[in-house]
Amino acid sequence: MSSRAGNILSVRRLIRSRWQAWLDRRLPPQNRIVLNQKKIFILPSWMGIGYLFTTLLLFLAGVNYENSLILNFSFFLGSLFVVSILQTFSNLSGLAISAGHTEPAFAGAEAKFVIHLSKTKHKDHHSIYCEWHGYKSDPHNLIAEQETPVAMLLRTSKRGRYRPGRLKLHTLYPFGLCRAWTWVDLDMSTLVYPKPIECELPKNPTVNREQGNVITPDGHEDFDSLRAYNTSDSLKTVDWKAYARRNTLYSKQFHGYESKTLWLDWHDAPTSDFELKLSYICFWVVHLANGNEPYGVNLPGHRVEPSTGKQHEQQCLELLASYHHGR
């Protein structure tokens, strides 16, 4: 990279950091924000710039040819532009934006963020657009409804705590000549789980065998069936009543119950790459959760005890998402 390009990048970073610092002072993070004069920015749109240029040409033509009709028409257009500024600003002013709920996602997928737009009793808002990290919403009108939720799907890239930052709301209503906007920080975030990457479960995983609901043929708890007697069988297992009826020796078979609890261990993941290990374990968690099999997660320094269910799956995924994040 040349020194000139490096200088340009340094200047851009400096301007961006100064801009962010100024925004943080003017619009600090809040869960609920009501827009007022200090929080709304407004400038002419591209169409408004063309409109102003045309108005200026008409004014110059009216002065040059001393034509009062053209002059009056240019004054009318100028007045209309001033009205447009006030109306566009008023369309955003008084609008309340509040943080809703979020839904986590796997890395590379879209996380759901919900915000709420609400209006005052005696004022409507038209054609409000929301933009957030590449997501652009349809226009929202608050006329009959007091409040409307806006759900946005934001693309994630890596695991950990995802903070999308500032949300942009803007409007061109009513004439499209001016654009009023704001950048609000609702202090929202969500967890991003590791991207599940398919990997076979270890052939000899760590298993706990306890009493459960899995039937094992070598148990001694409940009667299962009769089979022909072998000389190696204990006489305690012989069914003497069957022998009395049929004059043939039969041995009783019993089964037991146990539960197989899998420990998804950090060292069982067949790779040395840190993030890839988490992706493999994440895949195992999702796979076992779909099969409703009991499992636990064992990472160096952290573990989640074996269990089943949606809440347990979420607990395991949260551990994987936050494990040594930003190390």
Side-chain angles (χ1 to χ4, degrees):
M1 181 184 297
S2 65
S3 59
R4 184 180 179 183
N7 292 335
I8 293 174
L9 287 177
S10 299
V11 171
R12 286 181 177 176
R13 280 196 290 267
L14 178 63
I15 294 174
R16 189 177 295 123
S17 64
R18 293 283 180 88
W19 171 248
Q20 287 297 331
W22 181 80
L23 272 180
D24 290 340
R25 289 194 302 273
R26 191 177 181 94
L27 295 168
Q30 290 177 297
N31 290 126
R32 188 175 189 276
I33 295 175
V34 179
L35 299 182
N36 55 27
Q37 186 178 1
K38 292 183 177 179
K39 297 168 184 171
I40 298 174
F41 309 91
I42 187 166
L43 281 174
S45 64
W46 286 112
M47 189 171 76
I49 293 174
Y51 180 92
L52 287 175
F53 183 70
T54 304
T55 304
L56 179 62
L57 288 180
L58 287 173
F59 175 76
L60 293 176
V63 171
N64 188 46
Y65 294 106
E66 297 181 353
N67 188 318
S68 59
L69 182 62
I70 297 177
L71 279 175
N72 287 335
F73 186 61
S74 66
F75 294 149
F76 169 75
L77 292 181
S79 303
L80 192 63
F81 189 82
V82 174
V83 172
S84 175
I85 294 174
L86 298 175
Q87 289 295 319
T88 306
F89 169 81
S90 177
N91 193 41
L92 274 189
S93 180
L95 181 69
I97 310 135
S98 54
H101 69 278
T102 62
E103 294 182 8
F106 294 100
E110 294 173 330
K112 186 176 182 180
F113 285 75
V114 179
I115 65 168
H116 298 274
L117 304 179
S118 53
K119 71 184 188 74
T120 55
K121 289 183 179 178
H122 307 293
K123 188 175 181 181
D124 299 335
H125 302 275
H126 306 263
S127 299
I128 307 296
Y129 293 85
C130 303
E131 292 185 19
W132 212 358
H133 269 225
Y135 179 90
K136 297 180 180 179
S137 74
D138 294 329
H140 294 276
N141 299 305
L142 282 84
I143 302 173
E145 298 175 346
Q146 189 71 23
E147 180 178 301
T148 183
V150 182
M152 287 175 276
L153 300 175
L154 309 186
R155 177 72 63 180
T156 62
S157 58
K158 57 183 181 180
R159 74 173 181 95
R161 177 63 63 177
Y162 174 51
R163 301 180 188 279
R166 292 189 176 275
L167 160 72
K168 181 181 181 182
L169 275 81
H170 66 97
T171 181
L172 292 164
Y173 185 86
F175 304 128
L177 300 178
C178 298
R179 180 187 300 276
W181 76 95
T182 186
W183 276 301
V184 296
D185 188 348
L186 298 176
D187 198 19
M188 296 178 72
S189 65
T190 190
L191 271 181
V192 178
Y193 306 142
K195 182 180 181 180
I197 296 179
E198 185 172 357
C199 176
E200 288 188 10
L201 280 167
K203 294 181 179 179
N204 298 307
T206 306
V207 175
N208 281 349
R209 294 179 180 275
E210 303 168 344
Q211 185 172 2
N213 54 7
V214 179
I215 298 175
T216 56
D218 55 348
H220 303 280
E221 296 171 16
D222 286 346
F223 174 73
D224 186 66
S225 61
L226 292 175
R227 61 170 174 80
Y229 174 77
N230 292 325
T231 54
S232 59
D233 293 342
S234 171
L235 291 177
K236 293 180 180 179
T237 63
V238 172
D239 187 343
W240 295 109
K241 292 182 179 179
Y243 176 73
R245 291 193 301 270
R246 304 174 186 175
N247 198 28
T248 303
L249 288 175
Y250 291 96
S251 294
K252 296 179 180 177
Q253 283 188 308
F254 295 86
H255 64 239
Y257 298 91
E258 69 177 24
S259 64
K260 292 183 179 178
T261 301
L262 291 174
W263 275 104
L264 304 178
D265 193 89
W266 174 262
H267 301 289
D268 288 337
T271 179
S272 59
D273 185 89
F274 189 90
E275 294 296 330
L276 195 54
K277 272 180 179 286
L278 293 174
S279 292
Y280 286 161
I281 297 174
C282 182
F283 174 81
W284 295 341
V285 168
V286 175
H287 176 72
L288 294 174
N290 290 336
N292 200 28
E293 298 180 45
Y295 61 91
V297 173
N298 186 24
L299 307 181
H302 301 270
R303 64 189 297 175
V304 177
E305 295 299 325
S307 183
T308 59
K310 199 67 181 175
Q311 187 175 1
H312 175 65
E313 179 190 11
Q314 185 176 350
Q315 187 180 3
C316 294
L317 292 176
E318 288 177 356
L319 172 61
L320 296 176
S322 58
Y323 184 67
H324 287 193
H325 175 61
R327 62 198 164 85

